């Protein structure tokens, strides 16, 4: 099926080149981008009993690099591509070696691997124990290199069986976070304690090399009773005397309902190497809207719009490069009503406030600079003409981060609004709260990135597609007054250059250029993934009550099933993977799923003739991995159009 985009070939080519230049500049923003330096060779048996091997390609490999592959010391082949199928019978005792050769014939990098003994890598776990009759299951994961060897470690959040949504009553048991090697070796574990409630909207944990020392840190919200991997209360890592001298680490602040509506609120940065708390400071704002208040007994207020913490205890978190050089943590509180977005830096020793944005109403904003000086501003218009002119009520259960205006600094894409790198309002679309968001190069002939957003607020539109830099509405539609709970956007349909999008409301894929239906069938509405070796994206979904599946849209009425994995997804009806990431091997993505005692890492065994740089070296993609775990998980997207950089070998 042909696209109906009405641009000339020369115009599209010019814009694609311009955008690749724009994206390449964005790739170099953060000190951690490109730090994943390992070739990450992987060897896995395919369905035919052959051994499929793949490895990473980096941008500078274009300068005369070739790859030599050996099995048990015997050379198999010299290659220009990044995957190979060994047809000879073998065993898991075989040893494969990759040698990266430069133009002068010198070995500049090596990587070794032994074949997996199954279709996936099993990562054994040690389930925590906290309370009688409470069962823990593996939940969201993130990744970061904690020892500087170029290989990622896994950070795993454990969810107790008594976890609750904010709107529900009930006690919850503590949340634990583990740091694991890929072989299952547990490096450390932290216990967030009983004063941090368990549920999808509470613990948003960030994994990144914030101070640029080559080792990733973990950052998250903590409280009285939170314990680091060394067995110390996180309050002991504070420099503020009120926190340092606190004696309430044995106090339980939960209400009879199970909600936690008062007590101290902290943020702590933990060492990725050993899990000790490096520094703890006050979380901003506190439950009663206190800013830099340092109040250990702040109580939740009805000004949030409820009495039980349903609005004020909704959190998001992301990593953003706000000064063009260093990574900052971005912590967000509230999105149904009042919205606070707080930027925090880590210099290797202490956490430091950068800025705080507070959208207090549909029109009133208070901005706090690095010295806590405040500036108030009133807005009386939005991009779309809707009467939501600020971040107030315009946030999603998720968010995105990218340098959308090309100034070398990241913006925070909030759903129906966006913040500039300095914490000032960039624009407001005004369509209100939503459950799902996708950001990428959905219209290759158009400069920059676009956002597809679905809306839960029962407004005039159930979805829209807008420009990520300006908020300009490109397309909008759906049924009036509908709670649209899920949406998808990606380059999924053969012969359609632009992305297609669809949602629970209107489930037939539509062109991101024209808005017209391009395929008369309903599809999975969950995650997108690069899997089978062409330059299109596939879909991945399922696993709550049945097997997890990767499917591909074809000309057939029903999608083609590429893989079926007998492992479970997480987060109930959301049916997310524990993590999706270009973690090992070539540019195709991996999926981590689980059972009660193991993680399972699945990788593709489909050959590909395309060579693409490791996706983690793209700034937008790398930051997508950092925010993927937050609230209602969304899949990562690239900051460029994949066919514009792919090379055919």
């Amino acid at each position: 099926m042909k696209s109906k985009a009405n641009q000339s070939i020369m115009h599209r080519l010019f814009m694609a080149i311009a955008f690749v230049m724009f994206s390449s500049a964005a790739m170099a923003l953060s000190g951690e981008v490109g730090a994943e330096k390992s070739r990450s060779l992987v060897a896995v048996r395919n369905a035919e009993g052959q051994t499929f091997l793949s490895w990473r390609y980096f941008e500078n490999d274009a300068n005369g690099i070739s790859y030599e592959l050996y099995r048990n010391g015997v050379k198999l082949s010299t290659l220009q591509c990044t995957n190979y199928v060994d047809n000879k019978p073998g065993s898991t005792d075989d040893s494969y070696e990759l040698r990266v050769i430069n133009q002068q014939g010198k070995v500049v990098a090596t990587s070794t691997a032994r074949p997996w003994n199954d279709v996936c890598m099993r990562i054994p776990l040690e389930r925590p124990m906290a309370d009688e009759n409470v069962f823990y299951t593996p939940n969201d994961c993130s990744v970061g290199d904690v020892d500087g060897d170029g290989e990622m470690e896994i950070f795993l959040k454990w969810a107790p069986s008594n976890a609750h949504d904010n709107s529900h009553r009930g006690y919850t048991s503590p949340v634990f976070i583990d740091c694991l090697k890929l072989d299952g070796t547990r490096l450390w574990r932290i216990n967030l304690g009983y004063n941090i409630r368990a549920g999808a909207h509470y613990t948003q944990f960030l994994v990144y090399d914030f101070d640029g020392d080559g080792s990733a840190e973990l950052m998250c919200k903590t409280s009285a009773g939170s314990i680091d991997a060394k067995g110390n209360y996180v309050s002991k890592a504070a420099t503020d005397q009120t926190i340092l001298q606190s004696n309430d680490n044995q106090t339980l602040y939960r209400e009879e309902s199970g909600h936690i509506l008062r007590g101290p609120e902290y943020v702590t940065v933990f060492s990725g190497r050993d899990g000790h708390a490096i520094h703890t400071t006050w979380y901003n704002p506190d439950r009663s809207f206190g800013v830099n208040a340092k109040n250990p007994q702040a109580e939740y207020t009805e000004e949030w719009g409820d009495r039980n913490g349903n609005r004020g205890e909704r959190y998001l978190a992301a990593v953003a490069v706000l000064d063009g050089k260093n990574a900052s943590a971005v912590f967000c509180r509230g999105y149904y009503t009042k919205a606070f977005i707080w930027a925090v830096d880590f210099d290797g020793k202490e956490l430091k406030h950068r800025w705080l944005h507070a959208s207090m109403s549909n029109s009133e904003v208070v901005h706090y600079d690095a010295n806590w000086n405040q500036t108030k501003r009133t807005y009386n218009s939005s991009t779309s003409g809707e009467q939501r002119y600020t971040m107030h009520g315009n946030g999603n259960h998720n968010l995105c981060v990218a340098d959308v205006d090309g100034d070398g600094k990241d913006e925070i894409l909030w759903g129906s609004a966006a913040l500039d790198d300095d914490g000032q309002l960039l624009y407001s679309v005004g369509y209100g709260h939503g459950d799902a968001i996708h950001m990428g190069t959905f219209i290759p002939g158009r400069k920059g990135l676009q956002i597809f957003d679905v809306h839960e607020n029962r407004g005039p539109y159930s979805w829209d597609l807008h420009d990520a830099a300006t908020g300009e509405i490109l397309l909008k539609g759906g049924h009036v007054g509908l709670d649209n709970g899920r949406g998808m956007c990606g380059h999924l349909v053969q012969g359609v250059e632009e992305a297609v999008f669809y949602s629970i409301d209107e489930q037939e894929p539509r062109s991101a250029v024209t808005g017209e239906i391009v395929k008369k069938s309903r599809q999975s509405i969950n995650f997108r993934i690069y899997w089978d070796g062409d330059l299109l994206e596939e879909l991945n979904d399922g696993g709550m009550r049945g097997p997890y599946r990767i499917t591909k849209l074809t000309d057939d009425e029903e999608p083609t099933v590429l893989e079926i994995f007998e492992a479970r997804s997480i987060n109930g009806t959301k049916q997310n993977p524990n993590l999706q990431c270009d973690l090992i091997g070539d540019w195709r993505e991996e999926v981590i799923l689980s059972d009660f005692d193991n993680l399972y890492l699945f990788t593709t065994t489909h050959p590909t003739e395309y060579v693409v740089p490791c996706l983690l070296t793209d700034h937008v993609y790398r930051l997508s991995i950092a925010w993927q775990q937050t609230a209602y998980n969304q899949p990562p997207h690239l900051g460029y159009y994949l066919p514009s950089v792919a090379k055919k070998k």
Side-chain angles (χ1 to χ4, degrees):
M1 185 175 296
K2 298 295 184 183
S3 164
K4 295 184 179 181
N6 191 28
Q7 295 107 339
S8 69
I9 294 176
M10 289 302 294
H11 175 69
R12 290 200 305 268
L13 179 61
F14 173 80
M15 293 302 292
I17 292 172
F19 185 69
V20 170
M21 293 173 65
F22 171 81
S23 298
S24 296
M27 287 183 190
L29 282 174
S30 168
E32 192 182 57
V33 173
E36 297 79 18
K37 56 185 177 291
S38 170
R39 295 294 170 160
S40 203
L41 177 69
V42 61
V44 58
R45 297 276 191 258
N46 63 19
E48 289 73 37
Q50 305 160 325
T51 302
F52 175 82
L53 300 108
S54 73
W55 54 93
R56 285 175 175 165
Y57 167 89
F58 298 115
E59 275 193 294
N60 58 9
D61 287 3
N63 301 320
I65 289 289
S66 62
Y67 311 103
E68 292 181 354
L69 199 59
Y70 294 77
R71 186 175 84 167
N72 301 328
V74 178
K75 185 175 179 180
L76 295 176
S77 185
T78 299
L79 303 154
Q80 292 294 316
C81 60
T82 54
N83 61 102
Y84 179 82
V85 177
D86 184 1
N87 295 308
K88 296 180 181 179
S91 73
T92 55
D93 292 328
D94 290 330
S95 177
Y96 288 92
E97 181 186 14
L98 173 73
R99 299 178 187 175
V100 182
I101 313 296
N102 66 12
Q103 283 181 311
Q104 291 72 42
K106 180 181 177 181
V107 178
V108 294
T110 63
S111 185
T112 60
R114 292 186 182 277
W116 296 353
N117 59 8
D118 205 340
V119 296
C120 62
M121 176 190 288
R122 184 177 73 89
I123 303 171
L125 304 173
E126 299 175 58
R127 278 191 290 115
M129 301 286 289
D131 299 315
E132 188 177 357
N133 300 320
V134 173
F135 189 83
Y136 279 84
T137 55
N139 195 248
D140 293 321
C141 292
S142 194
V143 291
D145 180 3
V146 304
D147 51 17
D149 65 355
E151 296 283 1
M152 292 294 205
E153 278 70 50
I154 296 175
F155 290 70
L156 166 65
K157 181 176 76 172
W158 287 94
S161 53
N162 59 359
H164 286 290
D165 187 84
N166 304 53
S167 59
H168 299 164
R169 296 171 61 88
Y171 296 137
T172 73
S173 296
V175 172
F176 294 86
I177 300 178
D178 288 356
C179 181
L180 308 162
K181 301 292 285 185
L182 288 182
D183 64 3
T185 300
R186 193 179 80 198
L187 300 180
W188 48 261
R189 170 177 289 170
I190 63 173
N191 177 357
L192 297 183
Y194 288 94
N195 292 318
I196 294 292
R197 206 164 186 246
H201 298 289
Y202 295 102
T203 296
Q204 321 303 341
F205 63 102
L206 298 176
V207 177
Y208 211 79
D209 181 7
F210 289 100
D211 60 355
D213 69 348
S215 175
E217 291 83 33
L218 166 70
M219 209 182 297
C220 66
K221 189 171 184 280
T222 56
S223 185
S226 296
I227 300 172
D228 72 6
K230 298 297 185 180
N232 299 313
Y233 291 118
V234 301
S235 60
K236 302 305 179 185
T239 50
D240 182 278
Q241 290 301 307
T242 305
I243 302 175
L244 194 60
Q245 296 174 11
S246 64
N247 58 2
D248 62 349
N249 280 308
Q250 303 299 322
T251 304
L252 295 181
Y253 284 99
R254 63 191 182 190
E255 306 285 320
E256 184 179 348
S257 65
H259 295 100
I260 302 167
L261 304 178
R262 66 184 181 92
E265 297 179 281
Y266 310 140
V267 60
T268 300
V269 57
F270 299 87
S271 165
R273 293 184 181 274
D274 62 10
H276 82 272
I278 302 173
H279 189 231
T280 295
T281 190
W282 297 98
Y283 192 93
N284 281 287
D286 63 29
R287 295 184 176 96
S288 60
F289 309 119
V291 172
N292 197 29
K294 304 179 181 180
N295 182 2
Q297 297 300 322
E299 294 196 36
Y300 192 82
T301 169
E302 293 183 30
E303 289 183 50
W304 284 103
D306 59 57
R307 298 179 179 180
N308 64 356
N310 189 35
R311 287 167 174 79
E313 297 293 305
R314 299 273 179 168
Y315 300 95
L316 302 172
V319 175
V321 178
L322 301 173
D323 63 359
K325 181 180 178 181
N326 302 300
S328 299
V330 178
F331 292 102
C332 313
R333 183 173 207 156
Y335 39 74
Y336 289 133
T337 55
K338 291 179 173 63
F340 297 84
I341 300 90
W342 181 40
V344 185
D345 297 337
F346 175 60
D347 64 4
K349 294 181 179 180
E350 294 185 4
L351 295 163
K352 297 182 179 180
H353 159 80
R354 173 175 283 271
W355 50 252
L356 174 67
H357 174 101
S359 281
M360 302 302 291
S361 72
N362 286 342
S363 58
E364 300 296 326
V365 165
V366 182
H367 180 272
Y368 299 85
D369 68 12
N371 296 314
W372 293 106
N373 298 315
Q374 62 173 293
T375 304
K376 296 182 179 181
R377 187 171 177 180
T378 300
Y379 294 84
N380 55 20
S381 64
S382 70
T383 303
S384 67
E386 295 295 312
Q387 292 182 346
R388 296 182 182 90
Y389 307 141
T390 68
M391 309 290 274
H392 187 281
N394 272 322
N396 273 29
H397 287 301
N398 22 63
L399 76 173
C400 298
V401 177
D403 174 21
V404 298
D405 56 11
D407 65 355
K409 303 174 185 179
D410 285 329
E411 283 70 50
I412 314 302
L413 294 314
W414 185 240
S416 285
L419 275 191
D420 209 345
D421 55 82
D422 58 0
Q424 300 286 359
L425 186 69
L426 186 64
Y427 61 79
S428 169
V429 173
Y431 290 152
H433 168 69
D435 275 13
I437 189 172
H438 297 268
M439 180 184 68
T441 316
F442 300 142
I443 307 175
R446 182 183 176 90
K447 180 182 177 181
L449 303 169
Q450 298 82 47
I451 290 176
F452 175 66
D453 197 23
V454 302
H455 306 296
E456 184 187 346
N457 64 299
R458 304 181 187 276
Y461 307 105
S462 70
W463 58 262
D464 81 89
L465 182 75
H466 63 265
D467 186 283
T470 66
E472 176 190 354
I473 306 299
L474 306 177
L475 296 168
K476 59 189 177 184
H479 294 87
V480 175
L482 183 77
D483 177 352
N484 199 12
R486 198 79 61 89
M488 171 55 63
C489 190
H491 295 277
L492 299 164
V493 178
Q494 185 70 41
V496 179
E497 182 187 46
E498 68 271 16
V500 298
F501 64 86
Y502 51 95
S503 64
I504 290 291
D505 182 18
E506 296 179 325
Q507 297 186 27
E508 295 174 320
R510 296 172 178 268
S511 162
V513 172
T514 66
E516 296 180 9
I517 294 173
V518 297
K519 189 172 177 58
K520 291 278 189 180
S521 62
R522 297 182 176 185
Q523 315 299 334
S524 161
I525 312 178
N526 194 353
F527 269 47
R528 42 69 48 216
I529 190 170
Y530 292 115
W531 188 264
D532 71 351
D534 63 20
L535 300 181
L536 291 174
E537 296 163 272
E538 286 71 54
L539 299 168
N540 45 320
D541 197 0
M544 185 173 70
R545 296 185 179 89
Y548 198 89
R549 305 194 312 167
I550 295 179
T551 59
K552 186 175 186 64
L553 302 194
T554 64
D555 291 334
D556 298 332
E557 185 173 337
E558 294 296 324
T560 299
V561 178
L562 298 179
E563 311 286 352
I564 296 178
F565 301 139
E566 296 294 339
R568 63 185 294 273
S569 59
I570 60 170
N571 297 329
T573 59
K574 299 297 182 287
Q575 299 186 80
N576 309 131
N578 296 77
L579 182 71
Q580 177 184 313
C581 178
D582 179 16
L583 190 58
I584 55 176
D586 65 21
W587 57 275
R588 273 81 60 80
E589 295 171 278
E590 280 66 50
V591 173
I592 295 180
L593 302 171
S594 59
D595 59 21
F596 299 123
D597 296 297
N598 303 275
L599 297 177
Y600 296 97
L601 174 61
F602 294 90
T603 190
T604 187
T605 57
H606 293 265
T608 181
E609 57 187 346
Y610 294 101
V611 172
V612 174
C614 171
L615 302 190
L616 284 171
T617 61
D618 173 54
H619 184 67
V620 171
Y621 186 90
R622 178 63 187 92
L623 297 187
S624 298
I625 300 304
W627 57 245
Q628 186 183 143
Q629 48 72 38
T630 200
Y632 290 177
N633 303 14
Q634 291 289 274
H637 287 275
L638 288 167
Y640 58 84
Y641 181 47
L642 188 71
S644 69
V645 303
K647 296 178 174 62
K648 203 169 185 178
K649 298 290 186 178

